[in-house]
Amino acid sequence: MLMEVKTGSILASVRCSKNSIDRIYKWVAACLFAATLILWSGADSFAYTVSAVEGLTEWQAPVAQRSLNAVLGKISSSANSDSVQNLLKIVSDRLFSGYQAKGVSIVSEDIIVELAPVSEPPAWTIAFEAPKLSAPPAEWLGSDLAAAEKVLSGLLDNVPVDSLSWCDVALRDKITEKLSPVLPGWKPSFIVHADSGSAELRISFSPEMPLLLAVNTNFTSNTLPTLINSELKHDMLGEFAPFVGLPVMWAKAHSKDMNRWAEGFLSSQDLINRTASSPKVNFVAAPVSQMNVAVESSHYNLWAWAAVYAGTKERSAELGVHIGRRTEIVRNWYMEFYGEGILELKNWNTEGRLGMRWSPWGDVWLGGEWSSKDSMWWGRLSIDPRLHKPYAWIRVREDGKINTAIGWKATEHLSLELHYDDRDEDRWSLRMLGNL
């Protein structure tokens, strides 16, 4: 005979209503029986408590213990131990389908009830019905389900199928507890198929709120023109469809996988290969998720800017361009030869710079440059800007004059700086730069 049992928040099957009514009848009958039995018994007064129920799994035992203590709460404290023992045996047989009372022992006021399966429990197997996802999320979910199978191993060992009529909610809660760290954001529900000698627990999943609705990308680069970043951003737009509708919590747990996937996709683009660039991705999960992408070339440095000054009479606005050629001296240690041209729009003065710099660590660059404006050498130390992060640079002329700034990269195209120049009458000013 094939038996099918489903569960959501409570046990649901073709026998669900009947089982629920039977359970109520059994509990009421047990209490009435207890009351009748106690009316005809007399002894010293004790407040009995079921302290343990043996023979059950660790997730079944609390359910049985609560039920038996509820029955004891209806019994007069004058009941003698023999009556209580007989009562608990009968109540246990009635309440806990699939089990029978093997023994009841009383030590002082503590009661230990021992249960055993009525018949040989089936051999249990666990199967998963995975949500239909596209790659790459489908691959990540497959890995999670493999881990979930190990987590649930042994959960139903020696558990009779009939016992799910009274402990299905406890099983649901235990499955949710065990799977939450492995599959955050996915709500499990299960169905049981039972045949002679075997049973299968089949678990399916539904996404929990909040869900991922969209992915917003920000591309930044200190070495490539904005036009290239815009083209890469456009190429990625159609790649986010498999991620829409996923639970945000699960997407957050797979942020590193998302980073690796995005970096792999971008690295396969011809534009990245032609510019000898490498992408670095930081994914932040949310209903509208943020994907920050930094694309840097190991060979070229091409960018232009427009700047507007405030708080100084000497400067108003300027246009600039930077052209550099990089080479890797040793692993992760780059050297760049560069030239810069600057046009001051107030009086149309121009300045040319030729320099060389090294990157001893990350975004830090150290070097020197010659300026055509004053025909002097400048030492230069800079920290390249990153989106929503501070940056700084300082130039020191051979005669000690200082030109420096502390800035904040507010968007992909806009930065704000507190600017200082020893050569100006108004040394301090504010500068807004637009990345062209």
Side-chain angles (χ1 to χ4, degrees):
M1 179 183 69
L2 179 65
M3 174 184 174
E4 183 176 285
V5 181
K6 297 181 181 179
T7 186
S9 59
I10 60 173
L11 188 66
S13 71
V14 293
R15 307 186 307 163
C16 177
S17 299
K18 184 177 182 299
N19 285 344
S20 300
I21 294 172
D22 287 347
R23 195 184 311 178
I24 295 173
Y25 283 163
K26 288 178 180 179
W27 197 90
V28 173
C31 290
L32 290 174
F33 176 82
T36 303
L37 181 64
I38 298 311
L39 285 174
W40 297 97
S41 63
D44 296 332
S45 177
F46 288 99
Y48 291 112
T49 302
V50 176
S51 59
V53 180
E54 298 178 348
L56 301 178
T57 64
E58 52 92 15
W59 54 270
Q60 288 177 307
V63 179
Q65 188 175 347
R66 285 194 301 268
S67 298
L68 292 175
N69 278 321
V71 172
L72 287 177
K74 304 296 182 180
I75 297 176
S76 170
S77 60
S78 63
N80 61 49
S81 60
D82 291 338
S83 299
V84 172
Q85 285 178 312
N86 292 331
L87 168 67
L88 291 182
K89 285 182 180 180
I90 296 172
V91 169
S92 296
D93 289 341
R94 288 178 177 271
L95 288 184
F96 307 127
S97 301
Y99 290 93
Q100 60 184 351
K102 191 175 180 180
V104 178
S105 58
I106 300 178
V107 180
S108 184
E109 298 179 6
D110 291 329
I111 301 175
I112 298 176
V113 179
E114 184 179 0
L115 301 180
V118 175
S119 58
E120 183 69 20
W124 283 93
T125 58
I126 298 177
F128 296 105
E129 293 182 356
K132 293 182 179 180
L133 304 179
S134 302
E139 300 169 3
W140 307 340
L141 184 62
S143 299
D144 289 347
L145 293 179
E149 186 174 0
K150 295 179 181 178
V151 168
L152 297 181
S153 177
L155 182 66
L156 291 167
D157 288 353
N158 299 317
V159 174
V161 174
D162 288 345
S163 67
L164 295 183
S165 64
W166 56 270
C167 65
D168 58 310
V169 174
L171 176 59
R172 178 206 63 190
D173 293 343
K174 192 63 179 179
I175 290 174
T176 301
E177 175 190 333
K178 283 182 167 290
L179 293 185
S180 290
V182 182
L183 288 158
W186 293 102
K187 181 180 179 180
S189 58
F190 66 81
I191 178 173
V192 172
H193 293 281
D195 204 345
S196 56
S198 65
E200 181 185 63
L201 179 72
R202 190 173 299 168
I203 303 176
S204 58
F205 300 90
S206 57
E208 292 183 314
M209 299 293 286
L211 302 180
L212 193 155
L213 304 178
V215 180
N216 182 42
T217 56
N218 282 322
F219 278 76
T220 59
S221 177
N222 294 313
T223 57
L224 297 176
T226 303
L227 182 62
I228 293 180
N229 292 335
S230 299
E231 187 172 339
L232 291 172
K233 185 175 183 178
H234 180 268
D235 291 341
M236 286 204 72
L237 286 178
E239 302 299 318
F240 293 125
F243 304 100
V244 175
L246 294 177
V248 169
M249 291 181 61
W250 188 74
K252 182 178 181 181
H254 285 276
S255 293
K256 291 183 179 179
D257 291 319
M258 181 71 86
N259 293 343
R260 284 191 289 267
W261 166 80
E263 289 170 359
F265 170 78
L266 290 170
S267 297
S268 67
Q269 302 302 298
D270 290 340
L271 192 56
I272 292 290
N273 295 325
R274 291 200 304 268
T275 57
S277 300
S278 58
K280 186 175 181 181
V281 178
N282 180 33
F283 175 76
V284 181
V288 179
S289 298
Q290 192 71 29
M291 180 174 285
N292 298 320
V293 184
V295 180
E296 302 297 349
S297 173
S298 59
H299 290 172
Y300 310 105
N301 189 358
L302 306 170
W303 64 287
W305 71 91
V308 177
Y309 290 84
T312 177
K313 298 178 182 178
E314 282 85 359
R315 304 169 184 264
S316 60
E318 68 181 27
L319 298 175
V321 61
H322 178 109
I323 301 174
R325 181 65 167 88
R326 293 182 174 181
T327 183
E328 190 174 22
I329 303 174
V330 295
R331 183 174 177 80
N332 295 326
W333 189 9
Y334 290 92
M335 181 174 66
E336 178 184 343
F337 297 92
Y338 66 90
E340 287 185 356
I342 301 173
L343 173 63
E344 296 180 1
L345 299 183
K346 182 177 181 179
N347 46 26
W348 302 101
N349 289 334
T350 60
E351 178 182 2
R353 300 173 183 173
L354 291 176
M356 182 174 60
R357 59 179 184 167
W358 297 264
S359 177
W361 178 72
D363 292 330
V364 178
W365 291 86
L366 177 65
E369 60 189 23
W370 181 84
S371 171
S372 64
K373 184 175 182 179
D374 45 27
S375 298
M376 289 188 180
W377 284 96
W378 293 73
R380 183 168 179 169
L381 173 66
S382 62
I383 302 174
D384 282 346
R386 294 296 175 192
L387 188 64
H388 300 155
K389 291 184 178 180
Y391 66 92
W393 55 265
I394 182 172
R395 301 169 65 232
V396 181
R397 201 166 66 178
E398 59 184 78
D399 61 356
K401 294 291 184 179
I402 295 175
N403 179 205
T404 185
I406 299 175
W408 177 268
K409 191 170 183 64
T411 70
E412 298 176 61
H413 309 289
L414 184 65
S415 300
L416 300 174
E417 290 184 355
L418 177 62
H419 184 264
Y420 175 86
D421 196 331
D422 252 350
R423 299 169 296 176
D424 296 340
E425 181 179 347
D426 298 320
R427 296 182 178 184
W428 292 97
S429 61
L430 295 175
R431 185 166 78 149
M432 182 172 66
L433 287 93
N435 184 4
L436 302 180

